[in-house]
Each structure stands twice: as C-alpha cells, then as structure tokens.
Amino acid sequence: MNGLGLHQRLERNAGLLIFGILFVSAIGGLVQVLPSIFQESLSQPAANTRPYGALELVGRDIYIREGCGTCHSQQVRPLLAEVKRYGPYSRAGESVYDRPFLWGSKRTGPDLHRIGGRYTDTWHRVHLLDPRSVVNNSIMPAYPWLAERAANADGDIQLRLKVLRRLGHPYTDADIESAPAKLEGLTEIDAVIAYLQQLGAGLGAEQ
Amino acid sequence: MKQQTTLAPWFPLRLLISPTKVFNELAGTRPDPFVMFFKYLVWFALIPPFLAYIGAATFGWRLGAAEPLFLPAGDLLLVNMLYFAALLFGLVSTAVISQWMASTYGARQSIGIHFALVTIIAGPLVVGSLVHLYPHVFINILAFIPALIWSMFLLFRGIPVVLRITPERGMLMASALIGYLLVAAVSLLGITVALWSRGIGPSIGV
Amino acid sequence: MNTTATKSNLYYHDRVVTVLVAWSIVWSVLGMAVGLYVAAELVWPQLDFGYPWLSYGRLRPLHTNVVVFGFAVSALMATAFYSVQRTSHVPLFAPALAWFCCIAWQLAIVAGGLSLLAGINASKEYAELEWPFDIAITIVWVCFAIVFFGTIAKRKIQPIYVSNWFYGGLIIVIAMLHIVNSLAMPVTLTKSYSLFAGAPDAIVQWWYGHNAVGFLLTGGFLGMMYYFLPKQAGRPIWSYRLSIVAFWAFTYSYIWAGPHHLHFNAIPDWVQSLGMVMSLILLAPSWATMINGIMTVSGAHAKLKTDPALKFIVLSLAFYGLATFEGPMMAIKSVNIVSHFTDWTIGHVHSGALGWNAMITFGTFYFLVPKLAGRDLYSVKLANIHFWLALAGTMLYILAMWGAGVSQGLLWLSLDEIGELNFSFKDIMGSMAPYYGLRVVAGVLFLSGTLLLAFNLFKTLQGQKVVRVVPPPVAAMEAA
C-alpha cells in the first residue's frame, strides 16, 4: 500500500516524524488563529472604550491576582435571557485594552461585564469585605486584606503604564507622570471598586 | 451448576435480595427474548415515566430554585412519552450492544440472555424510580446514587455468571458496557438540552 | 559498541523513572487534596479563615496546575522515559539531562505553586504561571525533547513505535502552544502583560487551553496506553493501520477545536463555526484509538489475569469514551447555549481527568512500580478497594455536576410568558449547595483511593533497589 509505504518512511526517520507532527499540527493555528490575531475589527476600540486609568488598572491587576475570573465571567452572550439579566451583550471592541482578556469560562457567581454603576461604591465595599452581610446565601470569599494594603504598595504603576504604552495603549506622558498621585492615600479595595464601576461603560454611546 | 428451564416470574425483585442465586438460575436457562421483552423490559421502561407523570402532575418539578414548575397536561404527557421511548431504546440498545460484544469476550450469544442481563441491571433503577413520585431534582439524584451503585454491582457480578465467562473477561465486558451506558446517558442529556434550547419544552430565552 | 560502553550505559535508566513516578504520586495526592479543599470552600466559604493564600481564587489555579503539570506531566515523563528505552532497545540518551528534567520540573512546580498562592497569576487558564516560570518550563521542556528524541535517534529498532509518536506529539505541540500563548511583556519579575489583547487573546488562549488538554491529557496519555496496554494484555496492538490513521487525524483536527470554548462570545462567527465542526470531526480519531485499545485487551484470552492494573486501564477507556463523546457534543452550539459557563463543563473536565487520566495512570503505576521494585505489589486487595473508590468517586462527581450544570444552564435562561426572567441568579446559585456537597463526598472517595495507592506503592518500593534491566543484546536493526 502506498500510504503505508509513505508512513514507513516517517516511522523510520525521527527528523521526518518531528517535522510531520509540527507541520500537521500547525495548520489549524495558521488558518484559524493567525488571521484573527490580525483581524482589524477585533482590535478596534468600541465607541466609549478607553485605556484603564491608573487606579482602574491597579484594580484590574488585583482582580487577576485574587483569581476573581475563576468564578466570574465578563462576557454577556447575545441571548435574550442574558441581555435581560446582565445588560447589552459584549462586543469585541470593548476588550481591546484587556491584557489578558478576562471573559472567563465559569459563572459560579454572576457575570460582571455590565456591573459598573449597578451598585454604589459603599455596597461594593461592604460586599467585598463581608459578602454574606449583603447577600445572605453568597459563597463568595471575603477579601478583608484589600482594605489594609495601599493601592500603590507594589510601587510599579508607572512601569506598568509604560509597558502598556509600548504594547500600543495610548497613554500620554502626563498620564504616566500623574499615576502615582492618583493612587495616593487609596487602598486596594478602592482600586478594585474603581475597576468594577467602569465595567460595561464602553458601550454607552451605542445604546 | 444445576440446570433449570424456567425462571421465577419475579426474578428481578429477588435480585435485590439474593443476586447470586438468581444469576445461577439464569445461567442455567435460555430465556425467550419475546417473553423477556414483553414480560419485563416494556414494563421496566413504562414504570418510571408513569411515576414521573403522577409526581409532576401532583407536586410539579422542583428544580431547587423558587416555586415548583407545573407543565400543561399535554406537554407533560409528551415529555413522559419521550422518556418512555428513551428508556425503551436504552434498554434494548444495551441488550443489542451487549450481544454484539459477546462474541469478542467469548460469552453466550442468544439475545434472550442479553435481554435478561439488561433486566438485571435495570432492576434497581426501576425500584429507585419510585422517587419520581416526588420530582425534586436533588432528592431524585440522591435516591438514584444507591440504586446506581447496586446496579453496577449487579453488572460486574452478573456478567460472568449469566454469560458463563471467566470473571476476568466479565470485568472487561462490564467496563465496556459501562462505557456505552455513560455515552448513552450523556447523549440523552445532550439531546434533551438541545431540544430544549431550540424551543421544544418549557420556554427559555434564547 | 557494548564493549566500549561505560557501566551506566549498560542498563536502562530506570531510577529517574522511579523518582518521577514517586513525584507524580505526591502531586496527585496534593493536587486532589487542594481540589477537595476548593470544593469544600464552595460549600463552606468561611474555610479560607481570612487568609489570602487560602482564598478560593488562589487555590483553584493551584489545584489545576498541580494536577496537570505536577501529577500528569511527571507521570508522562516517567512513562515516556520508561517506554522509549524499551521500544528503542537502548538506554536513555543523556541520562544526566533526564535527571535535570526530573529535578528542575519538580522545583518549578514547587516554586510555581507557591507563586500562585502568593497571587502571582497571569490569569490565562492552565497557563497561570508568570513569565519566569514560563521560561523555566520551556527550558525543561527542551531538555525533555533532547532526551526523548536523542534516545529515538540512537535506537536499535528501525520503526518508531506508535506510543512514541504520541509522546513526540505531546512534546512538540505543547512546546509550540506554550511558547505562543505565554508571549508577554514583563513589567517586574512577578508581573507581565500579555502580547495579545481582548478577542485575539481569547482565541490564542483557547487554542492553547484546548490543545493542552488535547496533546497532554489526551495525546500524551494515549502514548501511555499504546505502550502499557499491549504490555499488560500480552499481545500487540489490535490494528496498526488504525493507529496510523487515528494518530494523524487526531494531530490534525484537534488543534482547530479551541473556539468551542468561546461559543456566543465576541469572536467572529466563522471561527466559532469552524471550531464546532472540527470538534465533531474529532470524535472519529478519538474513538478509533479507543476501539483499538478495547480490541487489544478484548482478544487477550489466555494471558489475562485479574490484575488491578488492567482493571484501571480498561475502565479508563470507558471514561475516555465518555469524555471524548461528551466534548464534541458540548461543542454543538445548541447544547453549548445551556452548558457554557456552568458546572457541566467542570463535570466534563473531571470525567476526563479522574476517569481517564488518573485511572490510566493508576493502572500504569500498579503495573510499573512492581516491575521497577522487582517484587509483587504490596497488596492486591488494597488496589481493588482503590478501584471501587475511584469508580464511585468519579461517577458521583460526574452525576453531581450534570445535575448542577443542567439546572444552572436551564434556570439561567428560563423566561416566563411575558419574557421576564423566572429566577434570580442568587436563588439559582443557592440551589447548588446540595450538588456541591455531593461533589465534596465524591472528592473524599476519590482522594482516599489515591491515598491507598500511595501507601500501597510506597510499601512495594520500600527497601527495594530499582531493578537493573539490560537492553536485548542482539541489535534488532533490520537490514534494509
């Protein structure tokens, strides 16, 4: 058999086998993943989407650090019930400044993509410090340590903004210059709340 | 092994008490597939939907959250007829698959004995379906766990005796059948969910 | 050649295999214990006692990383090193490098695990470790590749055996996925920003995430199956031709299926549809391999013993069949509408991880460790108890998550006649408590089985020296 003959060559030559595996497994990525990386419409910010401010960025990085994304998605699907429950469905253009994306894969808790403005800052503060005091059957962990740590405890906010600027986020010199001042006197919980309160704002004009 | 030609009519129930005895009896018989089918399998497939209908009509489905869900009588009838069809398909297909596997494992091949095998496995589940009378999802799951354990125990123990093969090969065949049953169960789940999300059944917003 | 060989080159290098097996068992106990702990936290959220490092969001990545990279990868390295020597009839190439892989990998898991507890988290699923670890992983992986392909290069048997194709696929494809998905710009030693953003990042991440499952947890373990199953059954693989077709079809089609993790998300429709179609196609090679495995044991008439090792391997194939069927099914959009974001996904992962990966590894270890120790398994009875604990734990886990997932999916979407939501999120979440409780029970069952395995194998190895095996003396190189 011809096919078997060809395969015997692969089987007898380790180099050919390695190349064969690499080639065959790369096709999918090249055809499917590569075009979407460079598809312009996926990297165009939505109307109201802007880069995160210093405080919001710190909040987002804390959200990542605490693994909030393991239980909360940030992706409203275009289904009637989801739009009813959470708000307008998510657009690609809203996450162009998300490194990495935080769409999530599991909703042990509710979706958060449209959480911004739904509750007051005070509600969030109480809820983060003691979830069961506001939602009686909640199984969310409490985050008391967020209130104890300064928002700029890592001291690298300017560096973070510079790195993001190199990756193409439009921060001005003034943004970077003034960043530490914006964190002055605030704690991590303020940063997380600032991040949560702007979630979903990117859609404003379209709706 | 003593040879017997007839089977006590209530053998599936006796399985709950003295399985080994029943296995040995079955091993000595050559059950008629039609008798097995009409005397046991059809009823086995009918009892759970029947109980589920009564339960859902009386108490409503309790999915855990908020109020019980009552379906119109027509819908309920349809759902339970589908349930019956699925069970009947499940039971018969398992018997057929089991017969198909039998040659591989050197087991007995008459379809009648495989129908008998399926009645054995299904027995505890049919008894467990009594809990359908109160269709609270979690209580049902809780009740089906011991039923399922007992049914798997019967499967692993029953196959070698009833099909007259060595325990080692019986174990292999039982595992293969478990594989089939798991796939059948998840297909049922998938089909239900797909139909549901396409608007058949209680409405959801899609 | 034999006359000039140094002493260490006369024997198969099995000590490094033994150490890797031991570490794999340590990680399986630890990883599953952490899993059980996070499962319990979903029932009793106070279990973190106010410590950041005990918080659910930090422990869950630890659970997945320890299980996948600690337990599974150590087991794959161990079995790859063991089988590549025997299928090539030569000792390992660069044994010192093999030891480096073994030790460096364990150090990376220890340090990486601690970093996750400290909240150093890149947040990409199954790739949570930050950039210094990504580099360390890459280095170890390259060394793994050198040892593995080096051994193949100096083999004394012409054809490269099928298990080695799968191990080879594991090494090559995981390297490709890991490097691309981890591309990031460092800020500090513990923080970096992904090179990709938003939707493209999501597509790259699930190209990685899905195929890490594909080539590590599926492909790698198929390599394990292709070596250890025929060994156990005492007969060659059922169909050689099927194994070829299935391998290439698997390698080609798996890579496309990632976007089914992003159905109805903000990525282009064509990417979603392609992901769905390729997921369905994937069923064919997955099941072809399963059939090849089942038929191999099924025909093993004379040699079959009631040996716990074979029991585990055969049952693992049943769960492999379930998981590889369930996956494509959940990739169908009309099923995915309900299953996405729910515990059904978690149940699916565990039917694969517990039912397939853990069970085939346990079966392999019950076979391998007595061979390495040169004596019988300490207790067959304990292994049989383990079998039932593992089976019961897995079934209970899957059932609990099916119940939880389907309820969540349907209740979330449930609308009344006038199109208003029927149930609040809070109520639906509250109704999950019993399922989550059942899952804790399932976890206790499965973990106690794993503890029995650890004890049993420890007793088997205790006080024994690793048996020295000499490669077959006659060079089997065919005169081509």
Side-chain angles (χ1 to χ4, degrees), chain C residues 181-216:
Chain C
N181 187 49
S182 302
L183 290 176
M185 198 171 280
V187 179
T188 60
L189 210 54
T190 57
K191 176 76 195 166
S192 66
Y193 288 114
S194 170
L195 214 56
F196 313 105
D201 190 40
I203 294 170
V204 171
Q205 153 61 23
W206 284 113
W207 170 74
Y208 163 86
H210 181 74
N211 294 298
V213 173
F215 287 85
L216 206 155

Side-chain angles (χ1 to χ4, degrees), chain C residues 18-277:
Chain C
T18 315
V19 171
L20 278 166
V21 167
W23 273 107
S24 172
I25 295 171
V26 169
W27 293 129
S28 76
V29 171
L30 273 176
M32 288 170 195
V34 176
L36 178 58
Y37 201 83
V38 289
E41 284 187 333
L42 288 180
V43 183
W44 302 285
Q46 299 86 348
L47 272 182
D48 61 18
F49 303 111
Y51 294 112
W53 54 275
L54 268 184
S55 183
Y56 179 91
R58 297 196 188 184
L59 286 183
R60 202 205 90 135
L62 181 71
H63 163 61
T64 53
N65 277 276
V66 169
V67 169
V68 175
F69 298 107
F71 167 53
V73 171
S74 298
L76 288 172
M77 262 190 202
T79 54
F81 286 162
Y82 182 87
S83 63
V84 76
Q85 301 183 83
R86 282 155 178 83
T87 51
S88 304
H89 285 188
V90 286
L92 282 181
F93 173 75
L97 208 55
W99 276 108
F100 168 76
C101 286
C102 167
I103 294 162
W105 189 260
Q106 311 312 327
L107 285 176
I109 304 293
V110 172
L114 291 174
S115 80
L116 290 173
L117 287 182
I120 300 166
N121 179 350
S123 139
K124 287 193 168 193
E125 258 186 288
Y126 313 115
E128 285 91 348
L129 295 174
E130 263 295 353
W131 66 273
F133 294 104
D134 289 337
I135 293 173
I137 288 171
T138 311
I139 292 170
V140 176
W141 208 255
V142 168
C143 296
F144 182 21
I146 292 172
V147 174
F148 183 81
F149 290 114
T151 311
I152 286 185
K154 64 167 190 170
R155 72 192 181 282
K156 289 187 180 161
I157 299 182
Q158 262 289 10
I160 301 170
Y161 181 63
V162 48
S163 64
N164 294 326
W165 315 342
F166 279 97
Y167 282 122
L170 156 79
I171 293 170
I172 295 164
V173 180
I174 292 295
M176 169 176 84
L177 298 168
H178 170 75
I179 291 171
V180 174
N181 187 49
S182 302
L183 290 176
M185 198 171 280
V187 179
T188 60
L189 210 54
T190 57
K191 176 76 195 166
S192 66
Y193 288 114
S194 170
L195 214 56
F196 313 105
D201 190 40
I203 294 170
V204 171
Q205 153 61 23
W206 284 113
W207 170 74
Y208 163 86
H210 181 74
N211 294 298
V213 173
F215 287 85
L216 206 155
L217 297 177
T218 311
F221 282 84
L222 286 177
M224 195 188 271
M225 182 204 84
Y226 266 121
Y227 179 78
F228 288 94
L229 185 77
K231 263 277 169 264
Q232 283 274 65
R235 63 201 301 268
I237 202 76
W238 180 63
S239 165
Y240 167 74
R241 192 171 301 188
L242 190 60
S243 70
I244 295 177
V245 174
F247 173 74
W248 291 105
F250 173 90
T251 307
Y252 173 76
S253 51
Y254 220 113
I255 215 87
W256 298 78
H260 68 218
H261 292 261
L262 297 167
H263 274 339
F264 299 102
N265 284 17
I267 62 165
D269 269 340
W270 70 269
V271 179
Q272 296 181 26
S273 304
L274 194 58
M276 168 172 144
V277 172

